[in-house]
Amino acid sequence: MYILGIDIGSTTSKAVIMNDKKEIVASSIVVATVGTDGVSLALEEVLNQSGLNASDISCTVATGYGRQTYEGADYQVSELSCHALGVNYIFPDARTVIDIGGQDAKVLSLNESGRMVNFIMNDKCAAGTGRFLDVMANILKLDISELESEARKAAKPASISSTCTVFAESEVISQLAAGTSIPDLVAGICQSVATRVASQAKRIGVKERVCMSGGVAKNGGVRDALSKELGVEIAYSDKAQLMGALGAALYAFDKINK
Ligand code: ADP
Protein backbone atom coordinates (compact mmCIF):
# COMPACT_ATOMS: atom_id res chain seq x y z
CA MET A 1 0.00 0.00 0.00
CA TYR A 2 1.28 3.45 -0.93
CA ILE A 3 -0.15 6.84 -0.09
CA LEU A 4 0.51 10.27 -1.51
CA GLY A 5 0.56 13.73 0.07
CA ILE A 6 0.64 16.79 -2.18
CA ASP A 7 1.25 20.34 -0.97
CA ILE A 8 0.29 22.93 -3.59
CA GLY A 9 1.87 26.13 -2.31
CA SER A 10 2.00 29.67 -3.64
CA THR A 11 5.55 29.19 -4.92
CA THR A 12 6.26 25.45 -5.04
CA SER A 13 4.48 22.10 -5.38
CA LYS A 14 5.69 19.32 -3.11
CA ALA A 15 4.83 15.60 -3.08
CA VAL A 16 5.63 12.74 -0.69
CA ILE A 17 4.91 9.00 -1.12
CA MET A 18 4.84 6.77 1.97
CA ASN A 19 4.60 3.00 2.28
CA ASP A 20 2.54 0.89 4.70
CA LYS A 21 5.33 1.10 7.29
CA LYS A 22 4.89 4.90 7.40
CA GLU A 23 8.27 5.36 5.72
CA ILE A 24 9.01 8.02 3.11
CA VAL A 25 9.61 6.26 -0.20
CA ALA A 26 10.05 9.30 -2.46
CA SER A 27 9.60 13.07 -2.48
CA SER A 28 9.73 15.96 -4.94
CA ILE A 29 9.78 19.76 -4.91
CA VAL A 30 8.96 21.71 -8.05
CA VAL A 31 9.19 25.50 -8.21
CA ALA A 32 5.98 26.64 -9.91
CA THR A 33 3.09 28.83 -8.88
CA VAL A 34 -0.50 27.70 -8.38
CA GLY A 35 -2.37 27.38 -11.65
CA THR A 36 0.65 26.13 -13.62
CA ASP A 37 1.64 22.52 -14.30
CA GLY A 38 3.75 22.41 -11.09
CA VAL A 39 1.50 19.77 -9.51
CA SER A 40 1.71 17.40 -12.50
CA LEU A 41 5.50 17.85 -12.60
CA ALA A 42 5.83 17.16 -8.87
CA LEU A 43 3.65 14.04 -9.27
CA GLU A 44 5.58 12.83 -12.30
CA GLU A 45 8.86 13.28 -10.43
CA VAL A 46 7.75 11.54 -7.23
CA LEU A 47 6.29 8.58 -9.16
CA ASN A 48 9.45 8.24 -11.28
CA GLN A 49 11.62 8.35 -8.19
CA SER A 50 9.57 5.64 -6.44
CA GLY A 51 9.18 3.45 -9.53
CA LEU A 52 5.40 3.36 -8.91
CA ASN A 53 2.39 4.10 -11.13
CA ALA A 54 -0.52 6.36 -10.21
CA SER A 55 -2.66 3.19 -9.85
CA ASP A 56 -0.39 1.97 -7.00
CA ILE A 57 -1.53 4.88 -4.81
CA SER A 58 -4.36 3.94 -2.43
CA CYS A 59 -5.13 7.39 -1.07
CA THR A 60 -4.15 10.95 -2.01
CA VAL A 61 -4.45 13.99 0.26
CA ALA A 62 -3.92 17.53 -1.02
CA THR A 63 -3.00 20.49 1.13
CA GLY A 64 -1.69 24.02 0.65
CA TYR A 65 -2.95 27.26 -0.77
CA GLY A 66 -3.91 25.62 -4.09
CA ARG A 67 -5.39 22.38 -2.74
CA GLN A 68 -8.87 23.17 -4.11
CA THR A 69 -7.46 23.38 -7.64
CA TYR A 70 -6.38 19.72 -7.64
CA GLU A 71 -9.13 17.30 -8.55
CA GLY A 72 -7.25 14.02 -8.04
CA ALA A 73 -7.30 14.10 -4.23
CA ASP A 74 -9.44 11.89 -1.98
CA TYR A 75 -9.26 14.52 0.77
CA GLN A 76 -8.27 18.15 1.08
CA VAL A 77 -6.79 19.20 4.40
CA SER A 78 -5.61 22.61 5.66
CA GLU A 79 -1.86 23.26 5.60
CA LEU A 80 -1.92 24.13 9.31
CA SER A 81 -3.03 20.58 10.23
CA CYS A 82 -0.59 19.07 7.74
CA HIS A 83 2.43 21.06 8.99
CA ALA A 84 1.56 20.03 12.55
CA LEU A 85 1.39 16.35 11.51
CA GLY A 86 4.57 16.50 9.45
CA VAL A 87 6.59 18.26 12.14
CA ASN A 88 5.31 15.88 14.82
CA TYR A 89 6.53 12.92 12.72
CA ILE A 90 10.08 14.33 12.48
CA PHE A 91 10.27 16.15 15.84
CA PRO A 92 7.75 14.55 18.27
CA ASP A 93 8.85 16.97 21.02
CA ALA A 94 8.21 20.17 18.97
CA ARG A 95 5.81 22.56 20.70
CA THR A 96 6.21 25.60 18.39
CA VAL A 97 6.37 25.48 14.60
CA ILE A 98 7.49 28.47 12.56
CA ASP A 99 6.43 27.89 8.97
CA ILE A 100 7.67 30.49 6.48
CA GLY A 101 6.55 29.84 2.93
CA GLY A 102 6.60 31.77 -0.31
CA GLN A 103 3.73 34.06 0.52
CA ASP A 104 2.89 33.75 4.19
CA ALA A 105 4.31 33.01 7.62
CA LYS A 106 2.55 31.03 10.32
CA VAL A 107 3.41 30.19 13.90
CA LEU A 108 1.71 27.11 15.37
CA SER A 109 1.53 25.97 18.99
CA LEU A 110 1.37 22.21 19.46
CA ASN A 111 0.36 20.29 22.57
CA GLU A 112 2.09 17.21 23.99
CA SER A 113 0.33 14.96 21.47
CA GLY A 114 1.51 17.13 18.59
CA ARG A 115 -1.97 18.55 17.96
CA MET A 116 -2.25 22.20 16.97
CA VAL A 117 -3.85 24.22 19.76
CA ASN A 118 -3.29 27.76 18.46
CA PHE A 119 -1.81 29.60 15.49
CA ILE A 120 -1.09 33.07 14.15
CA MET A 121 -0.65 33.92 10.48
CA ASN A 122 0.66 36.76 8.34
CA ASP A 123 -0.68 36.46 4.82
CA LYS A 124 -1.27 40.15 4.27
CA CYS A 125 2.24 41.49 3.84
CA ALA A 126 5.20 40.13 1.84
CA ALA A 127 7.69 41.29 4.49
CA GLY A 128 8.49 38.35 6.75
CA THR A 129 7.84 35.78 4.00
CA GLY A 130 9.83 34.00 1.29
CA ARG A 131 8.64 36.58 -1.23
CA PHE A 132 10.67 39.27 0.54
CA LEU A 133 13.80 37.10 0.30
CA ASP A 134 13.09 36.21 -3.35
CA VAL A 135 12.76 39.91 -4.29
CA MET A 136 15.97 40.83 -2.45
CA ALA A 137 17.95 37.89 -3.89
CA ASN A 138 16.87 39.05 -7.32
CA ILE A 139 18.15 42.60 -6.71
CA LEU A 140 21.48 41.24 -5.50
CA LYS A 141 21.64 38.82 -8.45
CA LEU A 142 21.96 35.85 -6.11
CA ASP A 143 20.22 32.52 -6.20
CA ILE A 144 17.90 32.03 -3.20
CA SER A 145 20.10 29.10 -2.07
CA GLU A 146 23.13 31.44 -1.81
CA LEU A 147 21.62 33.68 0.90
CA GLU A 148 22.74 31.39 3.73
CA SER A 149 26.44 31.36 2.81
CA GLU A 150 26.44 35.11 2.07
CA ALA A 151 24.75 35.94 5.41
CA ARG A 152 27.30 33.84 7.27
CA LYS A 153 30.16 35.88 5.75
CA ALA A 154 28.75 39.17 7.10
CA ALA A 155 31.04 41.38 9.20
CA LYS A 156 28.42 43.97 10.20
CA PRO A 157 24.84 43.12 9.17
CA ALA A 158 23.17 46.09 7.46
CA SER A 159 20.14 47.60 9.11
CA ILE A 160 17.07 47.46 6.87
CA SER A 161 14.64 49.85 8.48
CA SER A 162 11.72 49.69 6.01
CA THR A 163 9.17 47.07 6.90
CA CYS A 164 7.47 47.35 3.50
CA THR A 165 9.01 45.17 0.76
CA VAL A 166 8.76 47.91 -1.87
CA PHE A 167 10.54 50.49 0.34
CA ALA A 168 13.04 47.90 1.57
CA GLU A 169 13.88 47.18 -2.07
CA SER A 170 14.85 50.86 -2.62
CA GLU A 171 16.75 50.84 0.67
CA VAL A 172 18.81 47.80 -0.39
CA ILE A 173 19.54 49.40 -3.77
CA SER A 174 20.74 52.63 -2.10
CA GLN A 175 22.88 50.75 0.42
CA LEU A 176 24.37 48.72 -2.41
CA ALA A 177 25.20 51.94 -4.28
CA ALA A 178 26.73 53.36 -1.09
CA GLY A 179 29.14 50.41 -0.92
CA THR A 180 27.60 48.12 1.69
CA SER A 181 28.91 44.61 1.04
CA ILE A 182 26.63 41.85 -0.27
CA PRO A 183 27.13 39.64 2.82
CA ASP A 184 26.23 42.53 5.17
CA LEU A 185 23.14 43.31 3.09
CA VAL A 186 22.05 39.66 2.98
CA ALA A 187 22.50 39.29 6.74
CA GLY A 188 20.39 42.46 7.23
CA ILE A 189 17.71 41.07 4.90
CA CYS A 190 17.58 37.75 6.78
CA GLN A 191 17.47 39.68 10.06
CA SER A 192 14.53 41.73 8.82
CA VAL A 193 12.49 38.57 8.10
CA ALA A 194 13.49 37.09 11.47
CA THR A 195 12.47 40.25 13.36
CA ARG A 196 9.01 40.24 11.74
CA VAL A 197 8.38 36.56 12.35
CA ALA A 198 9.81 36.64 15.90
CA SER A 199 7.35 39.35 16.91
CA GLN A 200 4.56 37.20 15.46
CA ALA A 201 5.86 34.19 17.44
CA LYS A 202 6.13 36.19 20.68
CA ARG A 203 2.47 37.18 20.36
CA ILE A 204 1.38 33.55 20.43
CA GLY A 205 4.05 32.46 22.97
CA VAL A 206 7.18 30.47 22.23
CA LYS A 207 7.48 27.05 23.85
CA GLU A 208 10.47 24.80 23.21
CA ARG A 209 11.24 22.77 21.23
CA VAL A 210 10.96 25.27 18.39
CA CYS A 211 11.10 23.94 14.86
CA MET A 212 11.07 25.62 11.44
CA SER A 213 9.17 24.33 8.44
CA GLY A 214 8.54 25.72 4.95
CA GLY A 215 11.05 26.63 2.25
CA VAL A 216 12.58 29.58 4.12
CA ALA A 217 13.78 27.14 6.82
CA LYS A 218 16.43 26.10 4.27
CA ASN A 219 18.01 29.53 4.70
CA GLY A 220 20.43 29.24 7.64
CA GLY A 221 20.77 33.05 7.69
CA VAL A 222 17.11 33.35 8.72
CA ARG A 223 17.38 30.37 11.12
CA ASP A 224 20.41 31.93 12.87
CA ALA A 225 18.75 35.35 13.17
CA LEU A 226 15.48 33.85 14.42
CA SER A 227 17.30 31.74 16.98
CA LYS A 228 19.04 34.90 18.31
CA GLU A 229 15.81 36.95 18.31
CA LEU A 230 13.90 34.29 20.24
CA GLY A 231 16.81 33.13 22.42
CA VAL A 232 16.14 29.47 21.61
CA GLU A 233 17.63 26.79 19.41
CA ILE A 234 15.77 26.14 16.18
CA ALA A 235 15.34 22.51 15.19
CA TYR A 236 15.80 21.99 11.47
CA SER A 237 15.38 19.01 9.19
CA ASP A 238 16.32 18.76 5.53
CA LYS A 239 12.63 17.82 5.06
CA ALA A 240 11.50 21.28 6.27
CA GLN A 241 10.02 22.28 2.91
CA LEU A 242 8.24 18.91 2.66
CA MET A 243 6.49 19.10 6.06
CA GLY A 244 3.08 19.99 4.57
CA ALA A 245 3.21 17.20 1.96
CA LEU A 246 4.51 14.80 4.59
CA GLY A 247 1.62 15.74 6.90
CA ALA A 248 -0.83 15.20 4.03
CA ALA A 249 0.63 11.71 3.46
CA LEU A 250 0.34 10.97 7.19
CA TYR A 251 -3.30 12.09 7.12
CA ALA A 252 -3.89 9.68 4.20
CA PHE A 253 -2.12 6.92 6.16
CA ASP A 254 -4.48 7.38 9.11
CA LYS A 255 -7.54 7.42 6.83
CA ILE A 256 -6.52 4.13 5.22
CA ASN A 257 -5.61 2.46 8.50
CA LYS A 258 -8.65 3.54 10.50
P1 ADP B 1 4.86 27.69 -0.53
O1 ADP B 1 4.45 26.43 0.21
O2 ADP B 1 4.14 28.91 -0.08
O3 ADP B 1 4.87 27.51 -2.01
P2 ADP B 1 7.57 27.04 0.36
O4 ADP B 1 7.33 26.55 1.74
O5 ADP B 1 7.85 26.02 -0.69
O6 ADP B 1 6.36 27.98 -0.11
O7 ADP B 1 8.73 28.13 0.42
C1 ADP B 1 9.13 28.85 -0.70
C2 ADP B 1 10.21 29.83 -0.27
O8 ADP B 1 11.31 29.10 0.22
C3 ADP B 1 10.74 30.64 -1.42
O9 ADP B 1 10.01 31.84 -1.54
C4 ADP B 1 12.21 30.87 -1.03
O10 ADP B 1 12.35 32.13 -0.39
C5 ADP B 1 12.52 29.78 -0.02
N1 ADP B 1 13.49 28.78 -0.53
C6 ADP B 1 13.24 27.81 -1.42
N2 ADP B 1 14.35 27.08 -1.68
C7 ADP B 1 15.33 27.62 -0.92
C8 ADP B 1 16.72 27.33 -0.73
N3 ADP B 1 17.33 26.32 -1.37
N4 ADP B 1 17.42 28.09 0.13
C9 ADP B 1 16.82 29.11 0.78
N5 ADP B 1 15.51 29.43 0.66
C10 ADP B 1 14.78 28.70 -0.18
Side-chain angles (χ1 to χ4, degrees):
M1 180 209 70
Y2 295 95
I3 49 178
L4 171 67
I6 313 173
D7 178 2
I8 308 164
S10 62
T11 313
T12 61
S13 289
K14 286 81 64 180
V16 166
I17 293 180
M18 288 188 118
N19 63 16
D20 54 3
K21 290 193 203 100
K22 244 188 189 179
E23 293 163 340
I24 299 172
V25 171
S27 64
S28 64
I29 300 174
V30 170
V31 180
T33 49
V34 172
T36 66
D37 58 357
V39 187
S40 354
L41 290 174
L43 282 179
E44 198 181 307
E45 201 178 311
V46 81
L47 286 171
N48 278 343
Q49 209 189 94
S50 62
L52 298 168
N53 296 311
S55 56
D56 296 319
I57 305 295
S58 311
C59 183
T60 299
V61 170
T63 187
Y65 179 76
R67 64 184 179 276
Q68 316 283 2
T69 61
Y70 181 66
E71 287 172 358
D74 298 294
Y75 302 94
Q76 289 160 341
V77 181
S78 91
E79 59 259 46
L80 289 164
S81 309
C82 288
H83 273 265
L85 281 169
V87 166
N88 183 247
Y89 175 85
I90 305 275
F91 299 113
D93 56 348
R95 297 292 169 264
T96 306
V97 183
I98 299 176
D99 165 29
I100 317 182
Q103 233 169 54
D104 62 17
K106 310 177 190 84
V107 184
L108 286 62
S109 299
L110 309 185
N111 67 12
E112 257 98 87
S113 334
R115 280 188 158 268
M116 187 184 68
V117 286
N118 201 1
F119 78 94
I120 189 165
M121 169 152 81
N122 159 32
D123 60 353
K124 300 278 179 283
C125 172
T129 73
R131 180 80 190 127
F132 183 86
L133 295 160
D134 298 344
V135 167
M136 299 305 163
N138 197 32
I139 296 173
L140 300 173
K141 302 202 169 28
L142 292 170
D143 186 83
I144 195 73
S145 61
E146 293 175 295
L147 297 188
E148 171 173 322
S149 54
E150 288 300 321
R152 286 182 172 160
K153 282 190 260 172
K156 187 173 174 283
S159 157
I160 314 286
S161 56
S162 308
T163 45
C164 165
T165 307
V166 179
F167 290 139
E169 197 174 346
S170 324
E171 204 180 328
V172 168
I173 293 168
S174 342
Q175 291 207 37
L176 197 57
T180 307
S181 75
I182 301 266
D184 285 352
L185 276 172
V186 173
I189 289 161
C190 293
Q191 178 62 49
S192 159
V193 170
T195 307
R196 298 275 301 193
V197 180
S199 81
Q200 215 180 320
K202 284 176 191 161
R203 259 183 280 152
I204 199 176
V206 176
K207 249 193 183 179
E208 290 187 76
R209 197 177 187 195
V210 181
C211 155
M212 262 190 97
S213 69
V216 173
K218 284 178 159 172
N219 180 340
V222 174
R223 291 202 310 274
D224 294 349
L226 203 47
S227 168
K228 248 198 209 155
E229 277 295 312
L230 295 175
V232 296
E233 249 181 58
I234 307 271
Y236 168 71
S237 149
D238 60 359
K239 302 206 171 32
Q241 199 171 9
L242 290 168
M243 290 299 188
L246 177 57
L250 289 162
Y251 187 94
F253 185 92
D254 285 347
K255 279 283 173 196
I256 291 270
N257 289 288
K258 239 178 204 163

XYZ file of all heavy atoms in Angstrom, residues 7-14 29 31-32 65 83 99-104 129-131 133-134 143-148 213-220 240-241, ligand 1:
312
model
N 1.382 18.993 -1.546
C 1.248 20.337 -0.972
C 1.401 21.340 -2.117
O 2.491 21.507 -2.669
C 2.342 20.528 0.095
C 2.316 21.914 0.730
O 1.424 22.716 0.381
O 3.197 22.179 1.567
N 0.273 21.979 -2.468
C 0.294 22.926 -3.591
C 0.402 24.336 -3.005
O -0.590 24.930 -2.565
C -0.973 22.764 -4.459
C -1.132 21.286 -4.849
C -0.900 23.663 -5.694
C -2.501 20.907 -5.373
N 1.624 24.834 -2.938
C 1.871 26.131 -2.306
C 1.804 27.277 -3.302
O 1.555 27.069 -4.499
N 2.046 28.478 -2.792
C 1.995 29.670 -3.642
C 3.189 29.717 -4.589
O 3.132 30.298 -5.658
C 2.008 30.912 -2.762
O 3.215 30.951 -2.024
N 4.286 29.086 -4.188
C 5.546 29.195 -4.915
C 6.047 27.850 -5.434
O 6.692 27.784 -6.472
C 6.614 29.803 -3.959
O 6.026 30.926 -3.321
C 7.864 30.230 -4.682
N 5.764 26.777 -4.664
C 6.264 25.449 -5.042
C 5.176 24.389 -4.860
O 4.251 24.576 -4.071
C 7.462 25.036 -4.148
O 7.004 24.984 -2.793
C 8.625 25.989 -4.237
N 5.332 23.281 -5.592
C 4.481 22.097 -5.378
C 5.379 21.005 -4.814
O 6.477 20.786 -5.330
C 3.871 21.618 -6.690
O 2.904 22.535 -7.117
N 4.899 20.362 -3.761
C 5.689 19.322 -3.112
C 4.875 18.036 -3.064
O 3.645 18.103 -2.910
C 6.025 19.711 -1.661
C 7.077 20.770 -1.478
C 6.626 22.194 -1.639
C 5.638 22.708 -0.660
N 5.255 24.122 -0.903
N 10.079 18.330 -5.090
C 9.782 19.757 -4.906
C 9.936 20.404 -6.274
O 11.000 20.284 -6.894
C 10.761 20.414 -3.911
C 10.672 19.745 -2.530
C 10.488 21.926 -3.802
C 11.707 20.221 -1.520
N 9.467 24.064 -8.336
C 9.191 25.499 -8.213
C 8.223 25.892 -9.326
O 8.557 25.816 -10.499
C 10.492 26.334 -8.321
C 10.193 27.827 -8.194
C 11.486 25.903 -7.259
N 7.012 26.227 -8.937
C 5.983 26.644 -9.911
C 4.797 27.174 -9.133
O 4.442 26.618 -8.090
C 5.532 25.462 -10.748
N -2.217 26.133 -0.201
C -2.950 27.263 -0.770
C -3.794 26.866 -1.996
O -4.913 27.288 -2.169
C -1.853 28.252 -1.145
C -2.228 29.536 -1.782
C -2.777 30.562 -1.027
C -1.975 29.741 -3.141
C -3.081 31.771 -1.629
C -2.266 30.951 -3.734
C -2.822 31.962 -2.968
O -3.116 33.145 -3.563
N 1.112 20.698 8.452
C 2.434 21.056 8.987
C 2.587 20.501 10.400
O 3.650 20.006 10.766
C 2.662 22.570 8.946
C 3.213 23.018 7.632
N 4.556 23.187 7.391
C 2.592 23.269 6.462
C 4.742 23.533 6.131
N 3.559 23.602 5.548
N 6.495 28.310 10.378
C 6.427 27.895 8.970
C 6.465 29.139 8.089
O 5.520 29.913 8.066
C 5.118 27.114 8.750
C 4.783 26.959 7.272
O 5.710 26.931 6.444
O 3.576 26.854 6.950
N 7.580 29.334 7.403
C 7.666 30.487 6.484
C 7.698 29.957 5.063
O 8.634 29.265 4.661
C 8.895 31.389 6.765
C 9.087 31.624 8.267
C 8.745 32.711 6.018
C 10.252 32.543 8.624
N 6.668 30.293 4.310
C 6.552 29.836 2.931
C 6.796 30.974 1.962
O 7.348 32.021 2.320
N 6.357 30.780 0.734
C 6.603 31.765 -0.310
C 5.764 33.022 -0.168
O 6.160 34.088 -0.650
N 4.607 32.892 0.488
C 3.734 34.057 0.521
C 3.141 34.336 1.890
O 2.398 35.295 2.057
C 2.589 33.838 -0.471
C 2.429 34.980 -1.442
C 1.480 34.611 -2.568
O 0.352 34.188 -2.362
N 1.940 34.790 -3.781
N 3.412 33.488 2.851
C 2.888 33.750 4.193
C 3.818 33.166 5.253
O 4.752 32.429 4.931
C 1.449 33.226 4.349
C 1.344 31.726 4.165
O 2.387 31.044 4.235
O 0.230 31.228 3.951
N 8.150 37.023 4.729
C 7.838 35.778 4.003
C 8.959 35.498 2.978
O 9.841 36.330 2.761
C 6.508 35.877 3.218
O 6.707 36.714 2.073
C 5.375 36.445 4.047
N 8.846 34.366 2.314
C 9.827 33.999 1.293
C 9.866 34.998 0.148
O 10.912 35.215 -0.462
N 8.726 35.604 -0.119
C 8.640 36.575 -1.226
C 9.642 37.712 -1.043
O 10.292 38.158 -1.976
C 7.194 37.101 -1.278
C 6.926 38.102 -2.348
C 6.710 37.430 -3.702
N 6.681 38.410 -4.774
C 7.426 38.359 -5.866
N 8.259 37.361 -6.043
N 7.337 39.276 -6.780
N 12.441 37.616 0.568
C 13.795 37.104 0.297
C 14.016 36.905 -1.199
O 15.097 37.196 -1.718
C 14.004 35.781 1.047
C 13.983 35.920 2.567
C 13.706 34.587 3.236
C 15.309 36.485 3.073
N 12.982 36.432 -1.899
C 13.095 36.209 -3.354
C 13.351 37.533 -4.079
O 14.209 37.624 -4.966
C 11.813 35.557 -3.907
C 11.546 34.180 -3.309
O 12.470 33.599 -2.716
O 10.408 33.693 -3.413
N 21.231 33.547 -6.244
C 20.220 32.515 -6.202
C 19.741 32.457 -4.749
O 20.525 32.703 -3.835
C 20.828 31.171 -6.631
C 19.755 30.113 -6.740
O 19.102 30.066 -7.791
O 19.551 29.348 -5.767
N 18.471 32.078 -4.553
C 17.904 32.027 -3.198
C 18.742 31.105 -2.281
O 18.895 31.365 -1.089
C 16.410 31.612 -3.262
C 15.689 31.903 -1.958
C 16.205 30.169 -3.693
C 15.431 33.317 -1.708
N 19.331 30.061 -2.873
C 20.102 29.101 -2.071
C 21.453 29.675 -1.625
O 22.148 29.084 -0.803
C 20.334 27.824 -2.876
O 21.064 28.152 -4.030
N 21.836 30.847 -2.180
C 23.134 31.437 -1.812
C 23.023 32.383 -0.614
O 24.031 32.851 -0.091
C 23.702 32.225 -2.999
C 24.084 31.347 -4.182
C 24.528 32.168 -5.381
O 23.697 32.916 -5.952
O 25.704 32.064 -5.743
N 21.782 32.688 -0.188
C 21.623 33.676 0.898
C 22.293 33.208 2.186
O 22.909 34.005 2.899
C 20.139 33.983 1.139
C 19.367 34.623 -0.024
C 17.975 35.039 0.421
C 20.100 35.833 -0.608
N 22.159 31.911 2.485
C 22.737 31.387 3.733
C 24.252 31.629 3.809
O 24.747 32.201 4.782
C 22.428 29.893 3.835
C 23.156 29.214 4.969
C 22.721 27.764 5.163
O 21.530 27.457 5.012
O 23.591 26.948 5.484
N 9.569 25.061 9.642
C 9.170 24.328 8.439
C 8.973 25.335 7.307
O 9.078 26.541 7.523
C 7.894 23.523 8.699
O 6.799 24.374 8.872
N 8.704 24.823 6.103
C 8.544 25.720 4.950
C 9.892 25.958 4.280
O 10.956 25.704 4.867
N 9.840 26.461 3.046
C 11.051 26.631 2.247
C 12.082 27.562 2.854
O 13.291 27.352 2.692
N 11.636 28.598 3.565
C 12.585 29.583 4.119
C 13.443 28.949 5.229
O 14.542 29.428 5.515
C 11.837 30.857 4.575
C 12.752 31.815 5.296
C 11.194 31.547 3.366
N 12.979 27.841 5.803
C 13.778 27.143 6.817
C 15.126 26.698 6.240
O 16.096 26.520 6.971
C 13.007 25.941 7.337
N 15.179 26.530 4.911
C 16.429 26.105 4.273
C 17.502 27.181 4.354
O 18.665 26.922 4.068
C 16.176 25.804 2.793
C 15.477 24.493 2.547
C 15.251 24.356 1.060
C 15.044 22.929 0.634
N 14.637 22.885 -0.786
N 17.082 28.406 4.650
C 18.012 29.533 4.704
C 18.561 29.668 6.131
O 17.887 30.176 7.037
C 17.245 30.800 4.272
C 18.100 32.039 4.274
O 19.143 32.093 4.925
N 17.649 33.049 3.563
N 19.804 29.200 6.321
C 20.430 29.245 7.640
C 20.618 30.656 8.157
O 20.702 30.863 9.374
N 12.306 20.120 5.847
C 11.499 21.277 6.267
C 10.480 21.711 5.212
O 9.315 21.956 5.529
C 12.423 22.443 6.617
N 10.919 21.777 3.958
C 10.016 22.284 2.910
C 8.940 21.247 2.565
O 7.919 21.586 1.954
C 10.833 22.645 1.652
C 10.096 23.569 0.706
C 10.990 24.088 -0.419
O 12.123 23.621 -0.580
N 10.501 25.040 -1.178
P 4.865 27.690 -0.527
O 4.449 26.434 0.212
O 4.144 28.906 -0.081
O 4.867 27.510 -2.013
P 7.568 27.043 0.356
O 7.333 26.552 1.743
O 7.854 26.015 -0.686
O 6.356 27.981 -0.107
O 8.730 28.129 0.420
C 9.126 28.852 -0.702
C 10.208 29.829 -0.271
O 11.308 29.097 0.225
C 10.740 30.640 -1.425
O 10.010 31.842 -1.541
C 12.206 30.872 -1.030
O 12.347 32.126 -0.389
C 12.518 29.784 -0.023
N 13.486 28.782 -0.530
C 13.243 27.811 -1.422
N 14.350 27.084 -1.678
C 15.330 27.623 -0.922
C 16.722 27.329 -0.734
N 17.335 26.320 -1.372
N 17.417 28.091 0.126
C 16.817 29.111 0.780
N 15.514 29.431 0.660
C 14.778 28.701 -0.177
